[in-house]
Amino acid sequence: MVSTFLFAFVYCALYKIIGGQVKILGKSLFTGRQGVWTDAFDKIKNNLMWGYSNKYVFTYAGMEYTNAHNSLISVLFMFGIVPACLTVALMVWAFSNVVR
């Protein structure tokens, strides 16, 4: 679960470092989500405790998005750090019960 958040952070950092020109088998390595995730991370830094609500619209490449395309980033963005931690705890609890 934390890896999904970490992946998005590393993905955005990689995009800033090497740019969007990397192609693998004729397709770009970057899908466009880095624009939405970068916008979300910038906003999260400014309002980590309380979040921004679900009324914010991300715009990237002329398109509008109503969520951050990553469940943990969306919860952190919309509701803040406490509900995001509770979501992670609930997911850990649910997965630990499935494994037993």
Side-chain angles (χ1 to χ4, degrees):
M1 289 160 288
V2 173
S3 64
T4 63
F5 182 77
L6 186 60
F7 172 80
F9 185 76
V10 170
Y11 190 80
C12 291
L14 188 62
Y15 181 78
K16 287 182 180 181
I17 293 169
I18 64 174
Q21 304 304 321
V22 177
K23 295 197 182 268
I24 297 175
L25 299 174
K27 293 192 174 201
S28 177
L29 175 64
F30 300 100
T31 62
R33 290 181 184 215
Q34 74 279 354
V36 176
W37 289 339
T38 301
D39 190 18
F41 286 136
D42 289 342
K43 299 291 185 231
I44 288 168
K45 285 189 291 189
N46 296 329
N47 206 359
L48 182 62
M49 276 309 278
W50 306 111
Y52 268 86
S53 86
N54 63 348
K55 299 194 186 304
Y56 185 82
V57 175
F58 299 99
T59 57
Y60 180 74
M63 298 178 71
E64 293 183 343
Y65 302 95
T66 56
N67 65 52
H69 293 292
N70 179 305
S71 60
L72 291 179
I73 295 173
S74 290
V75 170
L76 183 60
F77 179 84
M78 289 189 285
F79 303 114
I81 190 76
V82 173
C85 289
L86 291 172
T87 300
V88 169
L90 180 64
M91 292 171 80
V92 167
W93 175 79
F95 283 121
S96 68
N97 284 339
V98 170
V99 173
R100 290 184 193 171

Coordinates of all heavy atoms in Angstrom, one line a residue:
M1 N 0.8 -1.2 0.0 CA 0.0 0.0 0.0 C 0.9 1.3 0.0 O 0.6 2.2 -0.7 CB -0.9 0.0 1.2 CG -2.0 -1.0 1.1 SD -2.8 -1.5 2.6 CE -1.4 -2.4 3.3
V2 N 1.8 1.2 0.8 CA 2.8 2.4 0.9 C 3.5 2.4 -0.5 O 3.9 3.5 -0.9 CB 3.7 2.3 2.1 CG1 4.8 3.4 2.0 CG2 2.9 2.4 3.4
S3 N 3.8 1.3 -1.1 CA 4.5 1.2 -2.3 C 3.8 2.0 -3.4 O 4.4 2.5 -4.3 CB 4.8 -0.2 -2.7 OG 3.6 -0.9 -3.0
T4 N 2.4 2.0 -3.4 CA 1.7 2.7 -4.4 C 1.9 4.2 -4.3 O 2.1 4.9 -5.3 CB 0.2 2.4 -4.4 OG1 -0.4 2.9 -3.1 CG2 -0.1 1.0 -4.5
F5 N 2.0 4.7 -3.1 CA 2.3 6.1 -2.8 C 3.7 6.4 -3.2 O 4.0 7.4 -3.9 CB 2.1 6.4 -1.4 CG 2.3 7.8 -1.0 CD1 1.3 8.8 -1.3 CD2 3.4 8.2 -0.4 CE1 1.5 10.1 -1.0 CE2 3.7 9.6 0.0 CZ 2.7 10.5 -0.4
L6 N 4.6 5.5 -2.8 CA 6.1 5.7 -3.1 C 6.3 5.6 -4.6 O 7.1 6.4 -5.2 CB 6.9 4.6 -2.4 CG 8.4 4.7 -2.5 CD1 8.8 6.0 -1.9 CD2 9.0 3.6 -1.7
F7 N 5.6 4.7 -5.3 CA 5.8 4.6 -6.8 C 5.4 5.9 -7.4 O 6.1 6.3 -8.3 CB 4.9 3.4 -7.3 CG 4.9 3.4 -8.8 CD1 6.0 2.8 -9.5 CD2 3.8 3.9 -9.5 CE1 6.0 2.8 -10.9 CE2 3.8 3.9 -10.9 CZ 4.9 3.4 -11.6
A8 N 4.3 6.5 -7.0 CA 3.9 7.7 -7.7 C 4.9 8.8 -7.4 O 5.2 9.6 -8.3 CB 2.5 8.1 -7.1
F9 N 5.5 8.9 -6.2 CA 6.5 9.9 -5.9 C 7.7 9.7 -6.7 O 8.2 10.7 -7.3 CB 6.8 9.8 -4.4 CG 7.7 10.9 -3.9 CD1 7.2 12.2 -3.7 CD2 9.0 10.6 -3.7 CE1 8.1 13.2 -3.3 CE2 9.9 11.6 -3.3 CZ 9.4 12.9 -3.1
V10 N 8.2 8.5 -6.8 CA 9.4 8.2 -7.6 C 9.1 8.4 -9.1 O 10.0 9.0 -9.8 CB 9.9 6.7 -7.4 CG1 11.0 6.3 -8.3 CG2 10.4 6.6 -5.9
Y11 N 8.0 8.1 -9.6 CA 7.6 8.3 -11.0 C 7.6 9.8 -11.3 O 8.1 10.1 -12.4 CB 6.2 7.7 -11.2 CG 5.7 7.6 -12.6 CD1 6.0 6.6 -13.4 CD2 4.7 8.5 -13.0 CE1 5.5 6.4 -14.7 CE2 4.2 8.4 -14.3 CZ 4.6 7.3 -15.1 OH 4.1 7.2 -16.4
C12 N 7.1 10.6 -10.5 CA 7.1 12.1 -10.7 C 8.5 12.6 -10.7 O 8.9 13.5 -11.5 CB 6.2 12.8 -9.7 SG 4.5 12.5 -9.9
A13 N 9.3 12.1 -9.7 CA 10.7 12.6 -9.6 C 11.5 12.2 -10.9 O 12.3 13.0 -11.4 CB 11.3 12.0 -8.4
L14 N 11.3 11.0 -11.3 CA 11.9 10.5 -12.5 C 11.6 11.3 -13.7 O 12.4 11.6 -14.6 CB 11.6 9.0 -12.7 CG 12.4 8.2 -13.8 CD1 13.8 8.2 -13.5 CD2 11.8 6.8 -13.9
Y15 N 10.3 11.7 -13.8 CA 9.8 12.5 -14.9 C 10.6 13.9 -14.9 O 11.0 14.4 -16.0 CB 8.3 12.7 -14.9 CG 7.8 13.5 -16.0 CD1 7.6 13.0 -17.2 CD2 7.5 14.9 -15.8 CE1 7.1 13.8 -18.3 CE2 7.0 15.6 -16.8 CZ 6.8 15.1 -18.1 OH 6.3 15.9 -19.1
K16 N 10.7 14.4 -13.7 CA 11.4 15.7 -13.6 C 12.9 15.6 -14.0 O 13.5 16.5 -14.6 CB 11.3 16.3 -12.2 CG 9.9 16.8 -11.9 CD 9.8 17.4 -10.5 CE 8.4 18.0 -10.3 NZ 8.3 18.6 -8.9
I17 N 13.5 14.5 -13.6 CA 14.9 14.3 -13.9 C 15.2 14.0 -15.3 O 16.1 14.6 -15.9 CB 15.5 13.1 -13.0 CG1 15.4 13.6 -11.5 CG2 16.9 12.8 -13.4 CD1 15.7 12.4 -10.5
I18 N 14.5 13.0 -15.9 CA 14.9 12.6 -17.3 C 13.9 13.2 -18.4 O 14.2 13.1 -19.5 CB 14.9 11.1 -17.4 CG1 13.6 10.5 -17.2 CG2 16.0 10.5 -16.5 CD1 13.6 9.0 -17.4
G19 N 12.9 13.8 -18.0 CA 11.9 14.4 -18.9 C 11.0 13.4 -19.5 O 11.1 12.2 -19.3
G20 N 10.1 13.8 -20.4 CA 9.1 12.9 -20.9 C 9.5 12.3 -22.3 O 8.6 11.8 -23.0
Q21 N 10.8 12.3 -22.6 CA 11.2 11.9 -23.9 C 11.6 10.4 -24.0 O 12.0 9.9 -25.0 CB 12.3 12.7 -24.4 CG 12.0 14.2 -24.4 CD 10.8 14.5 -25.3 OE1 10.6 14.0 -26.3 NE2 10.0 15.5 -24.8
V22 N 11.5 9.7 -22.9 CA 12.0 8.3 -22.9 C 10.9 7.4 -23.5 O 9.7 7.4 -23.2 CB 12.2 7.8 -21.4 CG1 12.6 6.3 -21.4 CG2 13.3 8.7 -20.8
K23 N 11.3 6.6 -24.5 CA 10.4 5.7 -25.2 C 10.9 4.3 -25.1 O 12.1 4.0 -25.2 CB 10.3 6.0 -26.7 CG 9.6 7.4 -26.9 CD 9.1 7.5 -28.3 CE 8.5 8.9 -28.5 NZ 7.1 8.9 -28.3
I24 N 10.0 3.4 -24.8 CA 10.3 1.9 -24.7 C 9.3 1.2 -25.7 O 8.1 1.4 -25.6 CB 10.1 1.4 -23.3 CG1 11.1 2.1 -22.3 CG2 10.2 -0.1 -23.2 CD1 10.9 1.7 -20.9
L25 N 9.9 0.5 -26.6 CA 9.2 -0.2 -27.7 C 8.2 0.8 -28.4 O 7.1 0.4 -28.7 CB 8.4 -1.4 -27.1 CG 9.2 -2.5 -26.4 CD1 8.3 -3.5 -25.8 CD2 10.2 -3.1 -27.4
G26 N 8.7 2.0 -28.6 CA 7.9 3.0 -29.4 C 6.9 3.7 -28.6 O 6.2 4.6 -29.1
K27 N 6.7 3.4 -27.3 CA 5.7 4.1 -26.5 C 6.5 4.9 -25.4 O 7.5 4.5 -24.9 CB 4.8 3.1 -25.9 CG 3.9 2.5 -26.9 CD 2.7 1.8 -26.3 CE 1.8 1.3 -27.3 NZ 0.5 1.0 -26.9
S28 N 5.9 6.0 -25.0 CA 6.5 6.8 -23.9 C 6.4 6.1 -22.6 O 5.4 5.4 -22.3 CB 5.7 8.1 -23.8 OG 6.2 8.9 -22.7
L29 N 7.5 6.2 -21.8 CA 7.5 5.6 -20.5 C 6.5 6.2 -19.6 O 5.9 5.6 -18.7 CB 8.9 5.8 -19.9 CG 9.1 5.3 -18.5 CD1 8.9 3.8 -18.4 CD2 10.5 5.7 -18.0
F30 N 6.2 7.5 -19.8 CA 5.3 8.2 -19.0 C 3.9 8.3 -19.6 O 3.7 8.6 -20.7 CB 5.8 9.6 -18.7 CG 7.2 9.6 -18.0 CD1 8.3 9.7 -18.8 CD2 7.3 9.3 -16.7 CE1 9.6 9.7 -18.2 CE2 8.5 9.2 -16.1 CZ 9.7 9.4 -16.8
T31 N 2.8 8.1 -18.8 CA 1.5 8.0 -19.2 C 0.7 9.3 -19.1 O -0.4 9.3 -19.7 CB 0.7 6.9 -18.4 OG1 0.7 7.3 -17.1 CG2 1.4 5.5 -18.5
G32 N 1.2 10.2 -18.4 CA 0.5 11.5 -18.2 C 0.0 11.6 -16.8 O -0.4 12.7 -16.3
R33 N 0.0 10.5 -16.0 CA -0.4 10.6 -14.6 C 0.5 11.4 -13.8 O 0.1 11.9 -12.7 CB -0.6 9.2 -14.0 CG -1.7 8.4 -14.6 CD -1.8 7.1 -14.0 NE -2.9 6.4 -14.7 CZ -3.7 5.5 -14.1 NH1 -3.6 5.3 -12.8 NH2 -4.7 4.9 -14.8
Q34 N 1.7 11.5 -14.2 CA 2.7 12.3 -13.5 C 2.2 13.8 -13.3 O 2.5 14.4 -12.3 CB 4.1 12.3 -14.1 CG 4.3 13.1 -15.3 CD 3.8 12.4 -16.6 OE1 3.4 11.2 -16.5 NE2 3.8 13.1 -17.7
G35 N 1.5 14.3 -14.3 CA 1.0 15.7 -14.2 C 0.0 15.8 -13.1 O 0.0 16.7 -12.3
V36 N -0.9 14.8 -13.0 CA -2.0 14.8 -12.0 C -1.3 14.6 -10.6 O -1.7 15.3 -9.6 CB -3.0 13.8 -12.3 CG1 -4.1 13.7 -11.2 CG2 -3.7 14.1 -13.6
W37 N -0.4 13.6 -10.5 CA 0.2 13.3 -9.2 C 1.1 14.5 -8.8 O 1.1 14.8 -7.6 CB 1.1 12.1 -9.4 CG 0.3 10.8 -9.5 CD1 -1.0 10.6 -9.1 CD2 0.7 9.6 -10.0 NE1 -1.4 9.3 -9.4 CE2 -0.3 8.7 -10.0 CE3 1.9 9.1 -10.5 CZ2 -0.2 7.3 -10.4 CZ3 2.0 7.8 -11.0 CH2 1.0 6.9 -10.9
T38 N 1.8 15.1 -9.7 CA 2.6 16.3 -9.3 C 1.7 17.4 -8.7 O 2.1 18.0 -7.7 CB 3.5 16.8 -10.5 OG1 4.3 15.7 -10.9 CG2 4.3 18.0 -10.1
D39 N 0.6 17.7 -9.4 CA -0.3 18.7 -8.9 C -0.9 18.3 -7.5 O -0.9 19.1 -6.6 CB -1.5 18.8 -9.9 CG -2.4 20.0 -9.6 OD1 -2.0 20.9 -8.9 OD2 -3.5 20.0 -10.1
A40 N -1.2 17.0 -7.3 CA -1.7 16.6 -6.0 C -0.6 16.7 -5.0 O -0.9 17.2 -3.9 CB -2.2 15.1 -6.1
F41 N 0.6 16.3 -5.2 CA 1.7 16.4 -4.2 C 1.9 17.9 -3.9 O 2.1 18.2 -2.7 CB 3.0 15.8 -4.7 CG 3.0 14.3 -4.7 CD1 3.5 13.6 -5.8 CD2 2.5 13.6 -3.6 CE1 3.5 12.2 -5.8 CE2 2.5 12.2 -3.6 CZ 3.0 11.5 -4.7
D42 N 1.9 18.8 -4.8 CA 2.0 20.2 -4.6 C 0.9 20.7 -3.6 O 1.2 21.5 -2.7 CB 2.1 21.0 -5.8 CG 3.3 20.8 -6.7 OD1 4.3 20.3 -6.1 OD2 3.3 21.2 -7.9
K43 N -0.3 20.3 -3.9 CA -1.4 20.8 -3.0 C -1.4 20.1 -1.7 O -1.7 20.8 -0.7 CB -2.7 20.5 -3.7 CG -2.9 21.1 -5.0 CD -3.1 22.6 -4.9 CE -3.4 23.3 -6.2 NZ -2.5 24.4 -6.5
I44 N -1.0 18.9 -1.6 CA -0.9 18.2 -0.3 C 0.1 18.8 0.6 O -0.1 19.0 1.8 CB -0.5 16.7 -0.5 CG1 -1.7 15.9 -1.1 CG2 -0.1 16.0 0.8 CD1 -1.4 14.5 -1.6
K45 N 1.2 19.3 0.1 CA 2.2 20.0 0.9 C 1.7 21.2 1.6 O 2.0 21.5 2.7 CB 3.4 20.4 0.0 CG 4.3 19.3 -0.4 CD 5.6 19.8 -1.0 CE 5.3 20.4 -2.4 NZ 6.5 20.8 -3.2
N46 N 0.7 21.9 0.9 CA 0.1 23.1 1.5 C -1.0 22.8 2.5 O -1.3 23.7 3.3 CB -0.4 24.0 0.4 CG 0.7 24.5 -0.6 OD1 1.8 24.7 -0.1 ND2 0.4 24.7 -1.8
N47 N -1.6 21.7 2.5 CA -2.7 21.4 3.3 C -2.7 19.9 3.8 O -3.7 19.2 3.5 CB -4.0 21.8 2.6 CG -5.1 22.1 3.6 OD1 -4.9 22.1 4.8 ND2 -6.3 22.5 3.1
L48 N -1.7 19.5 4.4 CA -1.5 18.1 4.8 C -2.5 17.7 5.8 O -3.0 16.6 5.8 CB -0.1 17.9 5.3 CG 0.3 16.4 5.7 CD1 0.2 15.5 4.5 CD2 1.7 16.4 6.2
M49 N -2.8 18.5 6.8 CA -3.7 18.1 7.9 C -5.2 17.9 7.5 O -5.8 16.9 7.9 CB -3.7 19.2 9.0 CG -2.5 19.0 10.0 SD -2.3 17.4 10.7 CE -3.5 17.4 12.0
W50 N -5.7 18.8 6.7 CA -7.2 18.8 6.5 C -7.6 18.4 5.1 O -8.7 18.2 4.8 CB -7.8 20.2 6.8 CG -7.4 20.6 8.2 CD1 -6.6 21.6 8.6 CD2 -7.8 19.9 9.4 NE1 -6.5 21.7 9.9 CE2 -7.2 20.6 10.5 CE3 -8.7 18.9 9.7 CZ2 -7.4 20.3 11.8 CZ3 -8.8 18.5 11.0 CH2 -8.3 19.2 12.1
G51 N -6.6 18.4 4.2 CA -7.0 18.0 2.8 C -7.7 19.1 2.0 O -7.9 20.3 2.6
Y52 N -8.1 18.8 0.8 CA -8.7 19.9 0.0 C -10.2 19.6 -0.4 O -10.8 20.4 -1.1 CB -7.9 19.9 -1.4 CG -6.8 21.0 -1.3 CD1 -5.6 20.7 -0.8 CD2 -7.1 22.2 -1.8 CE1 -4.6 21.6 -0.8 CE2 -6.1 23.2 -1.7 CZ -4.8 22.9 -1.2 OH -3.9 23.8 -1.2
S53 N -10.7 18.5 0.0 CA -12.1 18.1 -0.3 C -12.1 17.4 -1.7 O -11.1 17.4 -2.4 CB -13.1 19.2 -0.2 OG -13.2 19.9 -1.4
N54 N -13.2 17.0 -2.1 CA -13.3 16.3 -3.5 C -13.8 17.3 -4.5 O -14.2 16.8 -5.6 CB -14.3 15.1 -3.4 CG -15.7 15.5 -3.0 OD1 -15.9 16.6 -2.6 ND2 -16.6 14.6 -3.1
K55 N -13.8 18.6 -4.3 CA -14.3 19.5 -5.3 C -13.2 20.1 -6.2 O -13.4 20.8 -7.1 CB -15.0 20.7 -4.6 CG -16.2 20.2 -3.8 CD -17.1 21.3 -3.4 CE -18.2 20.9 -2.5 NZ -19.1 19.9 -3.0
Y56 N -11.9 19.7 -5.9 CA -10.8 20.2 -6.7 C -10.8 19.4 -8.0 O -11.0 18.2 -8.0 CB -9.5 20.0 -5.9 CG -8.3 20.6 -6.6 CD1 -8.0 22.0 -6.6 CD2 -7.5 19.8 -7.4 CE1 -6.9 22.5 -7.2 CE2 -6.4 20.3 -8.0 CZ -6.1 21.7 -7.9 OH -5.0 22.2 -8.6
V57 N -10.5 20.1 -9.1 CA -10.4 19.4 -10.4 C -9.0 19.5 -10.9 O -8.4 20.6 -11.0 CB -11.4 20.0 -11.4 CG1 -11.2 19.4 -12.8 CG2 -12.8 19.8 -11.0
F58 N -8.3 18.4 -11.1 CA -7.0 18.4 -11.7 C -7.1 18.6 -13.2 O -8.0 18.0 -13.8 CB -6.3 17.0 -11.5 CG -6.1 16.7 -10.0 CD1 -7.0 15.8 -9.4 CD2 -5.1 17.2 -9.3 CE1 -6.9 15.5 -8.1 CE2 -4.9 16.8 -8.0 CZ -5.8 16.0 -7.3
T59 N -6.2 19.4 -13.8 CA -6.2 19.5 -15.2 C -4.8 19.2 -15.7 O -3.8 19.6 -15.1 CB -6.5 20.9 -15.7 OG1 -5.6 21.9 -15.0 CG2 -7.9 21.3 -15.3
Y60 N -4.7 18.4 -16.8 CA -3.5 18.0 -17.4 C -3.7 17.7 -18.8 O -4.6 17.0 -19.2 CB -2.9 16.8 -16.7 CG -1.6 16.4 -17.3 CD1 -0.4 17.1 -17.0 CD2 -1.5 15.3 -18.1 CE1 0.8 16.8 -17.6 CE2 -0.3 14.9 -18.7 CZ 0.9 15.7 -18.4 OH 2.1 15.3 -19.0
A61 N -2.9 18.3 -19.7 CA -3.0 18.1 -21.1 C -4.3 18.4 -21.7 O -4.8 17.7 -22.5 CB -2.5 16.7 -21.5
G62 N -5.0 19.4 -21.1 CA -6.3 19.8 -21.6 C -7.5 18.9 -21.2 O -8.6 19.1 -21.6
M63 N -7.2 18.0 -20.3 CA -8.3 17.1 -19.7 C -8.4 17.4 -18.3 O -7.5 17.9 -17.6 CB -7.9 15.7 -20.0 CG -7.7 15.3 -21.4 SD -7.3 13.6 -21.7 CE -8.7 12.8 -21.2
E64 N -9.6 17.2 -17.8 CA -9.9 17.4 -16.3 C -10.1 16.1 -15.7 O -10.7 15.1 -16.2 CB -11.2 18.2 -16.2 CG -11.0 19.6 -16.7 CD -12.3 20.5 -16.4 OE1 -13.4 19.9 -16.2 OE2 -12.2 21.7 -16.5
Y65 N -9.6 16.0 -14.4 CA -9.7 14.8 -13.6 C -10.3 15.1 -12.3 O -9.9 16.1 -11.7 CB -8.4 14.1 -13.4 CG -7.7 13.8 -14.7 CD1 -6.8 14.6 -15.3 CD2 -8.0 12.6 -15.4 CE1 -6.1 14.3 -16.5 CE2 -7.4 12.2 -16.6 CZ -6.4 13.1 -17.1 OH -5.8 12.8 -18.3
T66 N -11.2 14.3 -11.7 CA -11.7 14.6 -10.4 C -11.1 13.8 -9.3 O -11.4 14.0 -8.2 CB -13.2 14.3 -10.4 OG1 -13.4 12.9 -10.8 CG2 -14.0 15.2 -11.4
N67 N -10.1 13.0 -9.6 CA -9.4 12.3 -8.6 C -7.9 12.2 -9.0 O -7.6 12.5 -10.2 CB -10.0 10.9 -8.3 CG -9.9 9.9 -9.5 OD1 -8.8 9.7 -10.0 ND2 -11.0 9.3 -9.8
A68 N -7.1 11.7 -8.1 CA -5.6 11.7 -8.4 C -5.1 10.4 -9.0 O -4.0 10.2 -9.1 CB -4.9 11.9 -7.1
H69 N -6.0 9.5 -9.4 CA -5.7 8.3 -10.1 C -4.8 7.4 -9.2 O -3.9 6.6 -9.8 CB -5.0 8.5 -11.5 CG -5.9 9.1 -12.4 ND1 -7.0 8.4 -13.0 CD2 -6.0 10.3 -13.0 CE1 -7.7 9.2 -13.8 NE2 -7.1 10.4 -13.8
N70 N -4.9 7.5 -7.9 CA -4.2 6.6 -7.0 C -5.0 6.7 -5.7 O -5.2 7.8 -5.2 CB -2.8 7.2 -6.8 CG -2.0 6.3 -5.8 OD1 -2.4 6.2 -4.7 ND2 -0.8 5.9 -6.3
S71 N -5.5 5.6 -5.2 CA -6.4 5.7 -4.1 C -5.8 6.3 -2.8 O -6.5 7.1 -2.2 CB -6.9 4.3 -3.8 OG -5.9 3.4 -3.4
L72 N -4.6 6.0 -2.5 CA -4.0 6.6 -1.2 C -3.7 8.1 -1.4 O -4.0 8.9 -0.5 CB -2.7 5.9 -0.8 CG -3.0 4.4 -0.3 CD1 -1.6 3.8 0.0 CD2 -3.9 4.4 0.9
I73 N -3.3 8.5 -2.6 CA -3.0 9.9 -2.8 C -4.3 10.6 -2.8 O -4.4 11.7 -2.3 CB -2.3 10.1 -4.1 CG1 -0.8 9.5 -4.0 CG2 -2.2 11.6 -4.5 CD1 -0.1 9.5 -5.3
S74 N -5.4 10.0 -3.4 CA -6.7 10.7 -3.4 C -7.2 10.9 -2.0 O -7.8 11.9 -1.7 CB -7.7 9.8 -4.2 OG -7.4 9.9 -5.6
V75 N -7.1 9.9 -1.1 CA -7.6 10.0 0.3 C -6.8 11.1 1.0 O -7.3 11.9 1.7 CB -7.5 8.6 1.0 CG1 -7.8 8.8 2.5 CG2 -8.5 7.7 0.4
L76 N -5.5 11.0 0.8 CA -4.6 12.0 1.5 C -5.0 13.4 0.9 O -5.1 14.4 1.7 CB -3.1 11.7 1.2 CG -2.1 12.6 1.8 CD1 -2.2 12.6 3.3 CD2 -0.7 12.2 1.4
F77 N -5.2 13.6 -0.3 CA -5.5 14.9 -0.9 C -6.9 15.4 -0.5 O -7.0 16.5 -0.1 CB -5.5 14.8 -2.5 CG -5.9 16.0 -3.1 CD1 -4.9 17.0 -3.4 CD2 -7.1 16.3 -3.6 CE1 -5.2 18.2 -4.0 CE2 -7.5 17.5 -4.2 CZ -6.5 18.4 -4.4
M78 N -7.9 14.5 -0.5 CA -9.2 15.0 -0.2 C -9.5 15.2 1.3 O -10.1 16.1 1.7 CB -10.3 14.0 -0.7 CG -10.4 14.0 -2.2 SD -11.8 13.0 -2.8 CE -11.2 11.4 -2.6
F79 N -8.9 14.3 2.2 CA -9.3 14.3 3.6 C -8.2 14.6 4.6 O -8.4 14.9 5.7 CB -9.9 12.9 4.0 CG -11.0 12.5 3.1 CD1 -11.0 11.4 2.3 CD2 -12.2 13.2 3.2 CE1 -12.0 11.1 1.5 CE2 -13.3 12.9 2.4 CZ -13.2 11.8 1.5
G80 N -6.9 14.5 4.1 CA -5.8 14.8 5.0 C -5.1 13.6 5.6 O -5.4 12.5 5.2
I81 N -4.1 13.8 6.4 CA -3.2 12.8 6.9 C -3.9 11.8 7.8 O -3.6 10.6 7.7 CB -2.0 13.4 7.6 CG1 -0.9 12.3 7.8 CG2 -2.3 14.1 8.8 CD1 -0.2 11.9 6.6
V82 N -4.8 12.2 8.7 CA -5.4 11.3 9.7 C -6.3 10.2 9.0 O -6.1 9.0 9.2 CB -6.1 12.0 10.8 CG1 -6.9 11.1 11.7 CG2 -5.2 12.8 11.6
P83 N -7.2 10.6 8.1 CA -8.0 9.6 7.4 C -7.1 8.8 6.5 O -7.4 7.6 6.3 CB -9.0 10.5 6.6 CG -9.1 11.7 7.3 CD -7.7 12.0 7.9
A84 N -6.0 9.3 5.9 CA -5.2 8.5 5.1 C -4.5 7.4 5.9 O -4.4 6.3 5.5 CB -4.1 9.4 4.4
C85 N -4.0 7.8 7.1 CA -3.4 6.8 8.0 C -4.4 5.7 8.4 O -4.1 4.5 8.5 CB -2.8 7.4 9.2 SG -1.3 8.4 8.8
L86 N -5.7 6.2 8.7 CA -6.7 5.2 9.0 C -7.1 4.3 7.9 O -7.3 3.1 8.1 CB -8.0 6.0 9.5 CG -7.9 6.7 10.8 CD1 -9.1 7.6 11.1 CD2 -7.6 5.7 12.0
T87 N -7.0 4.8 6.7 CA -7.3 4.0 5.5 C -6.2 2.9 5.3 O -6.5 1.7 5.1 CB -7.3 4.8 4.2 OG1 -8.4 5.8 4.3 CG2 -7.5 4.0 3.0
V88 N -5.0 3.3 5.5 CA -3.9 2.3 5.5 C -4.0 1.3 6.6 O -3.9 0.1 6.3 CB -2.5 3.0 5.6 CG1 -1.4 2.0 5.7 CG2 -2.2 3.9 4.3
A89 N -4.4 1.7 7.8 CA -4.5 0.8 8.9 C -5.7 -0.2 8.6 O -5.6 -1.4 8.8 CB -4.8 1.5 10.2
L90 N -6.8 0.3 8.0 CA -7.9 -0.6 7.7 C -7.5 -1.6 6.6 O -7.9 -2.7 6.7 CB -9.1 0.3 7.2 CG -10.4 -0.4 6.8 CD1 -10.9 -1.2 8.0 CD2 -11.4 0.5 6.3
M91 N -6.8 -1.1 5.6 CA -6.4 -2.0 4.6 C -5.4 -3.1 5.1 O -5.5 -4.3 4.7 CB -5.7 -1.2 3.4 CG -6.7 -0.3 2.7 SD -5.9 0.8 1.5 CE -5.6 -0.3 0.2
V92 N -4.5 -2.7 6.0 CA -3.6 -3.7 6.6 C -4.4 -4.7 7.4 O -4.2 -5.9 7.3 CB -2.5 -3.0 7.5 CG1 -1.8 -4.0 8.3 CG2 -1.6 -2.2 6.6
W93 N -5.3 -4.2 8.2 CA -6.2 -5.1 9.0 C -7.0 -6.1 8.1 O -7.1 -7.3 8.3 CB -7.1 -4.3 9.8 CG -8.1 -5.1 10.6 CD1 -7.9 -5.8 11.7 CD2 -9.5 -5.4 10.2 NE1 -9.0 -6.5 12.1 CE2 -10.0 -6.2 11.2 CE3 -10.3 -5.0 9.2 CZ2 -11.3 -6.7 11.2 CZ3 -11.6 -5.4 9.1 CH2 -12.1 -6.2 10.1
A94 N -7.6 -5.5 7.0 CA -8.4 -6.4 6.1 C -7.5 -7.4 5.4 O -7.9 -8.6 5.3 CB -9.1 -5.5 5.1
F95 N -6.3 -7.1 4.9 CA -5.5 -8.0 4.3 C -4.9 -9.0 5.2 O -4.7 -10.2 4.9 CB -4.3 -7.3 3.5 CG -4.8 -6.7 2.2 CD1 -4.6 -5.3 2.0 CD2 -5.3 -7.4 1.2 CE1 -5.0 -4.7 0.9 CE2 -5.8 -6.8 0.1 CZ -5.6 -5.5 -0.1
S96 N -4.7 -8.6 6.5 CA -4.1 -9.6 7.4 C -5.2 -10.6 7.8 O -4.9 -11.8 8.1 CB -3.6 -8.9 8.7 OG -4.7 -8.3 9.4
N97 N -6.5 -10.3 7.8 CA -7.5 -11.2 8.0 C -7.7 -12.2 6.9 O -8.2 -13.3 7.1 CB -8.9 -10.5 8.3 CG -8.9 -9.9 9.7 OD1 -8.1 -10.3 10.6 ND2 -9.7 -8.9 9.9
V98 N -7.5 -11.8 5.7 CA -7.6 -12.7 4.5 C -6.5 -13.7 4.5 O -6.7 -14.9 4.2 CB -7.5 -11.8 3.2 CG1 -7.4 -12.7 2.0 CG2 -8.8 -10.9 3.1
V99 N -5.3 -13.3 4.9 CA -4.1 -14.2 4.9 C -4.3 -15.3 6.0 O -3.9 -16.4 5.8 CB -2.8 -13.4 5.2 CG1 -1.7 -14.3 5.3 CG2 -2.6 -12.4 4.0
R100 N -5.0 -15.1 7.0 CA -5.1 -16.1 8.1 C -5.9 -17.2 7.7 O -6.7 -17.6 7.1 CB -5.7 -15.4 9.4 CG -4.8 -14.5 10.0 CD -5.4 -14.0 11.3 NE -4.6 -12.8 11.7 CZ -5.0 -12.1 12.7 NH1 -6.1 -12.2 13.3 NH2 -4.3 -11.1 13.0

